[in-house]
Amino acid sequence: MLDVIAPLVISNTTKIVLVSLDGLGGLPRPETGRSELETARLPNLSALAAEAACGLIRHVAPGITPGSGPGHLGLFGYDPLHYQVGRGVLEALGIEFDLRAGDIAARGNFCTVDRAGRITDRRAGRIATEVNVRLTERLRRIRLPGVEVFVETGKDYRFVLVLRARGRRGAGGLSARLSESDPQMLGKPPLPVKALDPRAKATATLVNRFIAEAGRVLADAAPANMVLLRGFDQLPKLPRFPEVFGLRSAAIAAYPMYRGLARLVGMDILKTGTTFADELATLREHWDTHDFFFVHYKDTDMAGENGDFDAKVSALERLDDALPEIRALKPDVLIISGDHATPSVLSGHGWQPVPVIVWSRYCGADGVTAFTERACSTGSLGVMPAQHLMPLVMANALRLTKFGA
Amino acid sequence: MLDVIAPLVISNTTKIVLVSLDGLGGLPRPETGRSELETARLPNLSALAAEAACGLIRHVAPGITPGSGPGHLGLFGYDPLHYQVGRGVLEALGIEFDLRAGDIAARGNFCTVDRAGRITDRRAGRIATEVNVRLTERLRRIRLPGVEVFVETGKDYRFVLVLRARGRRGAGGLSARLSESDPQMLGKPPLPVKALDPRAKATATLVNRFIAEAGRVLADAAPANMVLLRGFDQLPKLPRFPEVFGLRSAAIAAYPMYRGLARLVGMDILKTGTTFADELATLREHWDTHDFFFVHYKDTDMAGENGDFDAKVSALERLDDALPEIRALKPDVLIISGDHATPSVLSGHGWQPVPVIVWSRYCGADGVTAFTERACSTGSLGVMPAQHLMPLVMANALRLTKFGA
């Protein structure tokens, strides 16, 4: 689709705001038969829905629960089945590591092994992040020939390993076509990392050497006396969003993961604070310098992940309260949607399609008067693959010319 | 999609029942403006719809009327445009012939030829099945070098021819890449069967020899004094349903064709009787041994094929009466749909998308309160390709992990 869209892009001065409510969609609470959206008091969102075209967005495919990577790529117009982001890269983005083209990133766990080297705890007793920081310091001392080694602390027992080639190591450089060292079960030693492609042999050797060294430098650090590595990947080659759509594009997100995903597609990352109020202040500040604003709202997902129905209702109501501030800027196109559902009753991401509002002067209000899963399912947009949203948004912004003569 | 789904499958103990109402969808009767589903009294299906996610299923593509093969493959999660089942194979399945990998199956007609060998009736005056049985006995005496010849009586003037290589006839064995002998018109002799691929030359020779021999042994049997052969095919190589979805899978079907289609994808075929009550007894008996049950209901299609609107209404009402017996088993996911429409006003299969109910604790009831074509068209599932149903079912059974990190 991007190949079809890009040649149709024309310039305009219209402004677009895409507000992504993370984990937006939900499910009815059995006691009331009403979802989080149906329970919350959302006068501003309802009013916007009444003036807009509504529908549901499906990010990957029916029944498929999207991770945060595919969820956002879909919203940005990329087919998530075609453009995949590996776990190692996502973890690196999540700690805002400055991952570069060619770097190999992996998700690491500290783990516990017995004297025979067999895994007894894949999460090292869930050590505290402070312990992790000290042990990460040890791992950083590991030297490997021809590459820089980066080890970055994550939460609890998690870390990120990044290998970066020094200079130009041959045409191919490093390769992430590697098997995982985590056997995903107890009682076995970590697996040797294997090259899944002949070009990855040298990288496999380096990674195995890192693992062996890690075992040595952590020998006295039980329960965190070994490491497991998985999700080896490199930055994917994605068409650049600002170029495909001809939009000066900015991301405003208090959480690093979402800034990272926006950076992946080439958006400018606007410095902001830690709250949604900060994000809105940032939006106002930069209103004149960009055409497209991706504004991320995290609270809905967090409440859903915690299985806290009432907290999710409150998070929705807080967003509703803030909506007039966004509308006051008079965007030409305003989109409210999310990257995936996080129903409180599932305490995690869900596969359900996510409500969407597309508002513009030309959207064609469809008579849907509430921003809920059920109301939007009857909207004029139907159930739409997420990657179809951006072309629709571009059309509403009068930034696409017609296809064919 | 199967390649995307299979790696996401996780194990669980949830139970899934898919009830396929053959030829489910219909069209309004001109006198009342109401379809069969809209005319029938369906309190149990309506109640289920009210608690469920509803929509319409399209098995192949808009405007395409599915045969029973693609209709069921779609329901089972296979793209019917990608996985095709030839007519010869379908006919063999329909008479429950034990077709094996490498066998060549063809659909046969007895026909009438004049003295010059020109076809005067492509269906041999629609001879009775008893006559067919006696003539099939004659055809079975035909011997061909290197292959076993099976000739099986079908209904009226129809039969199935199967060639099976004895031992290992070279690496390639037999090939079904053959043209048809039926010229599909009167006044011409049967066409010689041609190899459509060099590897099929030997098989073409064998088939032409069979046809010549058939002409001899049937010489005195007018009006059934010749045969026509078409739809040459071999068993398709399909990914195995129980392995793709990680489900102990059972098919319960009173009619052989549907058992055959389920066997094609590797489901266990449970022995059952000739009525739907028998099928439900079988379902209860085997509840503990399987995770997924495909339950086939034939009456709706039969009534539709006969153009008997009232009989189809009654068939729907009988199914509705039986629904509480299924719900009493407390499946975790219950799906009601069909393999294609059979509108009574068409007296045959139709291209219309087919209503579907997906019920589970996590389905998200969408406010559709009737199980009809029109009501389901407003449901939250939208108009969905059939092969998307199984992933959705797996998600509702909490048997899929998320896609992407």
Side-chain angles (χ1 to χ4, degrees), chain B residues 172-258:
Chain B
L174 300 171
S175 166
R177 296 276 299 133
L178 300 171
S179 69
E180 311 195 325
S181 83
D182 187 346
Q184 303 268 0
M185 52 164 65
L186 301 182
K188 301 226 166 175
L191 301 168
V193 169
K194 284 185 210 146
L196 302 175
D197 186 307
R199 293 182 307 114
K201 275 191 184 168
T203 314
T205 305
L206 290 170
V207 169
N208 285 320
R209 196 149 149 186
F210 176 85
I211 294 169
E213 288 285 331
R216 271 190 283 280
V217 303
L218 298 175
D220 65 348
N225 61 355
M226 200 13 152
V227 298
L228 295 172
L229 296 174
R230 59 197 172 107
F232 292 95
D233 205 5
Q234 293 178 294
L235 274 182
K237 285 196 183 72
L238 294 166
R240 289 175 61 80
F241 183 94
E243 283 150 33
V244 170
F245 296 109
L247 295 169
R248 296 173 302 168
S249 308
I252 308 177
Y255 281 70
M257 168 79 81
Y258 311 100

Side-chain angles (χ1 to χ4, degrees), chain B residues 63-220:
Chain B
I64 308 294
T65 296
S68 295
H72 279 87
L73 285 186
L75 281 183
F76 298 159
Y78 299 77
D79 178 352
L81 287 170
H82 184 73
Y83 298 104
Q84 301 200 12
V85 182
R87 169 164 292 273
V89 169
L90 209 70
E91 296 283 334
L93 297 176
I95 57 166
E96 233 162 350
F97 181 85
D98 178 25
L99 204 62
R100 301 187 192 163
D103 288 358
I104 305 292
R107 151 78 182 265
N109 276 13
F110 287 102
C111 69
T112 314
V113 291
D114 63 17
R115 280 166 194 224
R118 291 174 303 225
I119 300 165
T120 57
D121 186 333
R122 289 179 54 249
R123 295 182 185 84
R126 294 180 182 270
I127 50 165
T129 306
E130 303 81 69
V131 177
N132 181 325
V133 169
R134 286 199 302 275
L135 297 177
T136 297
E137 280 301 331
R138 295 195 194 178
L139 295 178
R140 282 179 178 162
R141 282 182 226 134
I142 296 172
R143 295 283 172 267
L144 297 176
V147 295
E148 281 182 273
V149 179
F150 300 88
V151 188
E152 305 293 332
T153 299
K155 218 176 154 219
D156 306 335
Y157 55 90
R158 302 174 183 93
F159 67 88
V160 177
L161 170 69
V162 175
L163 303 186
R164 177 176 298 162
R166 292 179 195 277
R168 290 269 100 231
R169 319 180 64 247
L174 300 171
S175 166
R177 296 276 299 133
L178 300 171
S179 69
E180 311 195 325
S181 83
D182 187 346
Q184 303 268 0
M185 52 164 65
L186 301 182
K188 301 226 166 175
L191 301 168
V193 169
K194 284 185 210 146
L196 302 175
D197 186 307
R199 293 182 307 114
K201 275 191 184 168
T203 314
T205 305
L206 290 170
V207 169
N208 285 320
R209 196 149 149 186
F210 176 85
I211 294 169
E213 288 285 331
R216 271 190 283 280
V217 303
L218 298 175
D220 65 348

Side-chain angles (χ1 to χ4, degrees), chain A residues 79-94:
Chain A
D79 178 353
L81 286 169
H82 185 72
Y83 299 103
Q84 301 197 15
V85 183
R87 171 166 290 274
V89 169
L90 208 70
E91 296 282 335
L93 298 177

Side-chain angles (χ1 to χ4, degrees), chain A residues 27-28 56 58 60-70 80-81 84-87 90 345-346 349 351-353 374 377-378 383, chain B residues 1 4-5 8 360-367 378-382 384 388 391-392 395-398 400-405:
Chain A
L27 281 174
L56 295 174
R58 188 174 275 146
V60 185
I64 307 292
T65 296
S68 296
L81 286 169
Q84 301 197 15
V85 183
R87 171 166 290 274
L90 208 70
V345 299
L346 284 174
H349 292 199
W351 60 89
Q352 296 79 6
R374 277 183 264 226
S377 82
T378 67
V383 185
Chain B
M1 272 316 288
V4 174
I5 293 301
L8 303 179
S360 84
R361 237 184 103 182
Y362 309 106
C363 63
D366 56 16
T378 67
S380 59
L381 302 181
M384 177 165 75
H388 290 176
L392 187 64
N396 275 277
L398 304 184
L400 290 183
T401 188
K402 69 184 168 193
F403 171 81

